[in-house]
Amino acid sequence: MSSKNENIKRVRRDRTKDILNAATKLFSEKGFRGTSLASIAEAVGLTEPGLLHYFPSKVRLLQGVLAFRDQQDTDKYSELTDSDKNSLQTIFNSLKNLVNKNEDNPALIRLFTILVSESIRTDHPSHEYFIDRYQMIRGTFTNYLSSLDDLDISADIDTLSSILIAVMDGLQIQWLLDPESVNMLEAFNLFSKIMIGYLEN
Amino acid sequence: MSSKNENIKRVRRDRTKDILNAATKLFSEKGFRGTSLASIAEAVGLTEPGLLHYFPSKVRLLQGVLAFRDQQDTDKYSELTDSDKNSLQTIFNSLKNLVNKNEDNPALIRLFTILVSESIRTDHPSHEYFIDRYQMIRGTFTNYLSSLDDLDISADIDTLSSILIAVMDGLQIQWLLDPESVNMLEAFNLFSKIMIGYLEN
DNA sequence: GTCTATAGTTCGATAGAC
DNA sequence: GTCTATCGAACTATAGAC
C-alpha cells in the first residue's frame, strides 16, 4: 500500500501558497470588495470551486492573506528591536530604511493602504484586525521611544507614535496616488530631521 | 396656458440636492463601489430609474458629489487665505481649527479618506480628480509657507507641504478606525508645536 | 419627472461527479 | 483535489408607459 503512493502523478501539489500570492496581488490592486474569486482562481489556473476548496469563503481567504503577509511586514519593524544601541539616530535610521524598502515594494504598501481604508467600516471583515494592528504598532513605537533615557521630553510619547505612523501612512497615500509628484523618502528624511531636532532639544 | 401652470402640484420639486446629500452620506460610509444606486434611491424615496433621471450614471453621480462637496471643503482652506497677517502662528492656528472642525464632521472626512484610497487605482473614476486635488492642496500650502518672509528655512517648502498633509491624512485614518484610541486634535497640536519650533529656528 | 418592467451582467457559494 | 453545473442574490442601466 505505502509503496504504491510514491511517484504517482495523481498527487497534485498544494496550491495554497500560489493562491495567497495571487490574492495578495489582486487585493492590493483592487481591494477586497473589488476583487472577485473568479479573478483569483483564474490567476492560479483554478476554477472558483477549486479555489474554494482551499479557502471555504472569500473572507477566510482575506484572513489568510493578512496572516501570511503580517509576518513579512512585522519583520520590518523587528529591525528596530534588534538594535542594541537604542539611540534616537538608530531608530530613525531604521525607519528611513523601512520607508526606503517600502518604495521598492509598492504592492505590499498598496495592500495595507487599500485594506485599511476599506476596513474603516465597522462591518468590514478586517475591521478588528486593523484596529489591533495599529494599536500594536503604536505600542511598539512607544516602547522604543520610552527606552531612550537620554531623552528629555515632556510630550506624550503615545501621541508622538501616532504622529510618526500618520506621516508614514499619509506619505504613502500621496506617493501611491502620484509617484511622480511625491518623493516619499526625501519627505520622511526631512520629517526625521525635524523630529530629532525636537526630541534632542 | 401660462396661467394654468401656476400652483399645480404636478410640478415636482428638484431632488438634486437631496440625492447629493444622500449619496454623500452613503459613499462616505461604504465607498463608491460599496454603495448601490438602489440604496441611494431608497434614501431619497425614489426608484433606481427615477434617480438615474437626475444623474445618468453612477459615475456621474460620484462626480456630482465631489463637485458638490469640494466647495464646502476648500472653503475650509480659504480661511488661511483670508488672513492678512501671515504669521506661522496664524497658519497653524487655522490648521488646528480645521482639524477641530473635522472632528465634528466625520462623514465628510470619511468620504474623502475612503474615496482617496479607492481612487489609488488608475482606473478608478475619481483617480485624476484626487491627483489634481492633492497637487492643488500642496500648492496652496506651499504658497502660504512661501509668503512668510520672517522665515529662515533651507528646507524644501514643497516637501514640508507634503508632510503637513500626510500628518492630517494619517491621523484621520487612525482616528476613523479607532476614535477611542486616537486624539486627533491633541496629536496635531503637538505636531504643530514641533513644526513651529523647527520653522522659527 | 417618475414609474414598472426587465435586460444583462457579475458575484459568492453549493451540490455532486470524477 | 478539481471539475461541471447551477443557484440566488445584487448590481447598473435601458425601454417605454403615464
Side-chain angles (χ1 to χ4, degrees):
Chain A
M1 278 279 263
S2 63
S3 62
K4 257 186 166 180
N5 282 333
E6 290 175 21
N7 283 335
I8 290 187
K9 283 190 175 166
R10 192 172 302 163
V11 179
R12 305 181 196 182
R13 68 202 169 101
D14 185 356
R15 312 291 305 278
T16 306
K17 281 271 170 62
D18 297 337
I19 293 169
L20 287 173
N21 280 322
T24 299
K25 183 168 180 294
L26 287 167
F27 284 160
S28 78
E29 287 166 358
K30 301 170 186 284
F32 175 68
R33 299 208 49 171
T35 302
S36 68
L37 286 179
S39 63
I40 302 171
E42 191 193 355
V44 293
L46 281 176
T47 57
E48 265 182 82
L51 170 63
L52 289 171
H53 166 73
Y54 292 91
F55 295 92
S57 75
K58 198 186 175 188
V59 168
R60 287 289 190 84
L61 176 54
L62 172 64
Q63 291 167 349
V65 165
L66 289 174
F68 180 54
R69 292 290 154 176
D70 215 19
Q71 190 55 42
Q72 288 179 248
D73 194 68
T74 48
D75 277 353
K76 296 193 272 184
Y77 296 106
S78 71
E79 196 177 318
L80 296 171
T81 334
D82 295 345
S83 165
D84 276 328
K85 35 183 174 129
N86 275 329
S87 84
L88 207 52
Q89 289 287 348
T90 44
I91 286 181
F92 273 95
N93 277 337
S94 299
L95 289 177
K96 284 179 197 172
N97 283 337
L98 178 54
V99 173
N100 200 18
K101 272 186 207 160
N102 285 346
E103 265 197 337
D104 293 334
N105 196 357
L108 197 55
I109 302 312
R110 224 174 243 269
L111 176 72
F112 281 101
T113 300
I114 291 187
L115 286 184
V116 162
S117 302
E118 263 189 301
S119 66
I120 286 174
R121 293 176 55 180
T122 51
D123 61 344
H124 193 278
S126 56
H127 180 70
E128 306 296 333
Y129 170 85
F130 278 109
I131 288 181
D132 293 347
R133 185 184 151 82
Y134 270 92
Q135 285 180 352
M136 189 265 288
I137 299 179
R138 276 195 297 263
T140 305
F141 281 13
T142 298
N143 280 342
Y144 295 142
L145 292 175
S146 303
S147 71
L148 303 175
D149 41 24
D150 58 335
L151 221 59
D152 176 37
I153 43 171
S154 53
D156 180 6
I157 295 186
D158 240 15
T159 305
L160 277 174
S161 300
S162 290
I163 293 173
L164 258 173
I165 297 164
V167 169
M168 294 201 283
D169 283 350
L171 288 177
Q172 277 165 15
I173 291 174
Q174 292 179 60
W175 174 69
L176 286 173
L177 193 61
D178 189 3
E180 312 273 314
S181 303
V182 178
N183 189 326
M184 195 162 57
L185 187 57
E186 183 186 322
F188 191 77
N189 281 342
L190 174 55
F191 173 72
S192 297
K193 194 176 117 190
I194 296 172
M195 288 297 283
I196 291 173
Y198 168 74
L199 291 171
E200 283 184 340
N201 215 10
Chain B
M1 277 282 261
S2 62
S3 63
K4 256 186 165 180
N5 281 335
E6 289 174 21
N7 283 334
I8 289 186
K9 282 191 175 165
R10 192 172 301 161
V11 178
R12 304 181 197 181
R13 68 201 168 100
D14 185 357
R15 311 290 305 278
T16 307
K17 282 271 170 62
D18 297 337
I19 293 170
L20 288 173
N21 280 321
T24 300
K25 184 168 180 291
L26 287 166
F27 284 160
S28 77
E29 286 165 359
K30 301 170 187 283
F32 175 67
R33 300 208 49 171
T35 302
S36 70
L37 286 178
S39 64
I40 301 171
E42 190 193 355
V44 293
L46 281 177
T47 57
E48 273 180 73
L51 170 63
L52 289 170
H53 167 72
Y54 291 92
F55 296 92
S57 75
K58 198 186 175 188
V59 168
R60 287 291 190 84
L61 176 54
L62 172 63
Q63 291 167 349
V65 165
L66 290 174
F68 181 54
R69 292 290 154 177
D70 216 20
Q71 190 55 41
Q72 287 180 248
D73 195 67
T74 47
D75 278 353
K76 296 193 272 185
Y77 295 106
S78 72
E79 196 177 318
L80 296 171
T81 334
D82 294 346
S83 164
D84 277 327
K85 35 182 175 132
N86 275 330
S87 84
L88 207 53
Q89 288 289 346
T90 45
I91 287 181
F92 273 95
N93 277 338
S94 299
L95 290 177
K96 284 179 197 172
N97 283 338
L98 177 54
V99 173
N100 200 18
K101 272 185 207 161
N102 284 346
E103 265 196 338
D104 293 334
N105 196 359
L108 198 54
I109 304 312
R110 224 175 243 268
L111 176 71
F112 281 101
T113 301
I114 291 186
L115 286 184
V116 163
S117 302
E118 264 189 301
S119 66
I120 286 175
R121 294 176 55 180
T122 52
D123 62 344
H124 193 279
S126 57
H127 181 70
E128 307 295 335
Y129 171 85
F130 279 109
I131 288 181
D132 292 346
R133 185 185 150 81
Y134 269 92
Q135 286 181 352
M136 188 267 288
I137 299 179
R138 276 195 296 264
T140 304
F141 281 14
T142 298
N143 280 342
Y144 295 143
L145 293 175
S146 304
S147 71
L148 302 176
D149 43 22
D150 60 334
L151 221 59
D152 176 37
I153 44 172
S154 53
D156 180 6
I157 296 187
D158 240 14
T159 305
L160 276 174
S161 300
S162 289
I163 294 173
L164 258 173
I165 297 165
V167 169
M168 294 202 283
D169 282 351
L171 288 177
Q172 278 165 16
I173 291 174
Q174 292 179 61
W175 173 69
L176 285 172
L177 194 61
D178 189 3
E180 312 274 314
S181 303
V182 179
N183 188 328
M184 195 162 58
L185 187 57
E186 184 186 321
F188 191 77
N189 281 343
L190 174 56
F191 173 72
S192 297
K193 194 175 117 188
I194 296 172
M195 288 296 282
I196 291 173
Y198 168 74
L199 291 171
E200 284 185 338
N201 215 10

